[in-house]
Amino acid sequence: MPKPVCISLDAMGGDHGPSVVVPGAVLALERHPGIRFLMVGDEALIAPLLAQHPKLKAVTEILHTDLAIAMDAKPSQAIRMGRGKSSMWRAVQAVKDGKADAAVSAGNTGALMATAKVCLKTMAHIERPAIAAMWPTLRGESIVLDVGATIGADAGHLVDMAIMGAAMARIVFDLERPTVGLLNVGTEEIKGIEAVKEAARILREANLPNLNYHGFVEGDDLGKGTVDVVVTEGFSGNIALKTAEGTAKQIGEYLRSAMSRTIMAKIGYLFAKQAFDALKDKMDPRKVNGGVFLGLEGVVVKSHGGTDALGFASAIDVAYDMAHFELMKTIRVMLEHDPIAQQA
């Protein structure tokens, strides 16, 4: 029998803490009956909520700590004040110590990234980690990275992200050679900044065995799902992510306003309600919640800070898949063919 997957949860992270983390874990347990949890945080707040869910309580260990990192804390503060003590640090530490297979936190993104980098360290030949997010598209889902871990990227970093993103895609989409595209201002080879053009040259000439380099993709290709993995640096990736989230909310508001404007519109909505419900479900950000920190010596997943139980359960789902299907092993195998590492 395979070893059960254990996920450490920063129970104090996010806007709602244990009141979302515990019910989120309940939903995740229903989907993955063999999962186990290590909940890190204030036992006085966690234990009463766990008592309401006997099945979850039976597979959960509480690791008590009084200290929680504030959502507005600076990364340097999170390290200085929380090192070895905060719920965030100890959840990540559990991965390093082998007590958990992955960690999930809805806490401050900058603080979590700093904590994970200091505690876990980066993988060999990886200078900077990246955050990879699932992206709903017309043909299903794609992976986009980096969506905000680091600002700016040279050609080597872009190539590393392409390889790590493809490794994640092999697990998530069960593909032997995922298609990878570099986000650019045009699809022509002469367009773009030098770092992007150089990364394109390296990927094209390397002809890596475990990914299929597609070429440049543009902003509208994100929604089309032109490729399985879209690679960009963190500044433009985060802007793209926030723009997509804002556009989805904008369209939702337009539809609600239009459907309530007249009696005929309200009647039309009733006839089309099933179609609108399907659209709402497709655009629900909770279904794709959970950004994976790639490039670290361990699996860490960032949940949206303001999400509810369903959204947090989705982040746990991502962490479970990354651990169960051995993301770290897949990345290490693919990095053996990294042309940047071979030049070092």
Side-chain angles (χ1 to χ4, degrees):
M1 291 290 290
K3 175 175 170 273
V5 172
C6 180
I7 308 294
S8 60
L9 305 177
D10 171 13
M12 312 310 293
D15 297 337
H16 310 293
S19 65
V20 160
V21 172
V22 172
V26 171
L27 294 175
L29 179 60
E30 293 174 357
R31 300 168 184 169
H32 312 289
I35 200 170
R36 303 187 68 83
F37 294 105
L38 176 65
M39 288 198 188
V40 188
D42 190 338
E43 186 170 8
L45 298 176
I46 300 170
L49 294 173
L50 268 183
Q52 300 172 26
H53 306 282
K55 290 183 180 179
L56 177 63
K57 183 179 179 181
V59 298
T60 301
E61 176 187 350
I62 299 176
L63 180 60
H64 174 75
T65 180
D66 294 314
L67 182 62
I69 299 300
M71 289 299 284
D72 60 352
K74 295 180 179 179
S76 57
Q77 292 176 320
I79 299 299
R80 185 172 63 254
M81 297 173 57
R83 189 173 192 132
K85 298 182 292 184
S86 71
S87 58
M88 179 183 288
W89 181 283
R90 298 187 73 180
V92 175
Q93 181 74 39
V95 177
K96 181 180 180 180
D97 293 343
K99 296 177 180 178
D101 301 294
V104 180
S105 175
N108 178 324
T109 303
L112 181 61
M113 177 57 77
T115 296
K117 285 176 66 176
V118 172
C119 186
L120 295 176
K121 311 301 181 185
T122 56
M123 302 178 72
H125 307 301
I126 300 296
E127 292 185 6
R128 295 184 292 171
I131 304 176
M134 301 298 297
W135 198 286
T137 73
L138 292 176
R139 69 182 187 94
E141 290 177 333
S142 295
I143 293 170
V144 179
L145 73 161
D146 178 15
V147 293
T150 54
I151 304 303
D154 58 19
H157 184 46
L158 292 171
V159 171
D160 289 340
M161 287 196 292
I163 293 172
M164 294 189 296
M168 180 174 167
R170 293 186 73 190
I171 289 173
V172 175
F173 305 136
D174 193 23
L175 296 171
E176 187 63 30
R177 294 190 76 209
T179 54
V180 177
L182 293 173
L183 188 63
N184 200 5
V185 294
T187 57
E188 300 88 347
E189 292 185 11
I190 61 170
K191 289 190 175 181
I193 60 175
E194 289 305 314
V196 175
K197 291 192 287 186
E198 176 64 10
R201 182 193 66 77
I202 294 170
L203 288 169
R204 187 169 54 250
E205 294 179 358
N207 192 26
L208 298 171
N210 295 316
L211 69 83
N212 178 15
Y213 176 61
H214 170 88
F216 292 144
V217 293
E218 298 182 86
D220 59 342
D221 289 305
L222 290 169
K224 292 177 184 177
T226 302
V227 292
D228 301 309
V229 181
V230 176
V231 176
T232 185
E233 57 83 36
F235 183 83
S236 56
N238 190 264
I239 290 176
L241 177 65
K242 298 298 174 57
T243 300
E245 291 175 345
T247 301
K249 292 178 182 177
Q250 181 182 6
I251 293 172
E253 288 299 322
Y254 281 164
L255 287 172
R256 275 189 287 272
S257 176
M259 291 299 101
S260 61
R261 190 167 296 166
T262 65
I263 294 295
M264 291 303 296
K266 292 178 180 178
I267 294 173
Y269 169 76
L270 292 176
F271 282 106
K273 186 176 184 302
Q274 187 173 3
F276 282 116
D277 287 344
L279 175 63
K280 182 180 178 181
D281 183 71
K282 178 68 175 177
M283 297 175 66
D284 190 345
R286 299 174 300 173
K287 299 291 184 67
V288 290
N289 182 45
V292 182
F293 288 7
L294 298 178
L296 300 170
E297 286 289 355
V299 178
V300 177
V301 174
K302 170 66 175 69
S303 167
H304 195 289
T307 195
D308 60 9
L310 178 59
F312 196 80
S314 296
I316 295 175
D317 289 343
V318 172
Y320 177 88
D321 286 343
M322 297 303 102
H324 181 70
F325 294 106
E326 299 182 305
L327 172 67
M328 301 304 300
K329 180 179 178 181
T330 303
I331 291 177
R332 289 191 180 97
V333 169
M334 292 183 65
L335 283 176
E336 291 177 1
H337 303 281
D338 186 347
I340 302 300
Q342 291 174 0
Q343 293 174 10

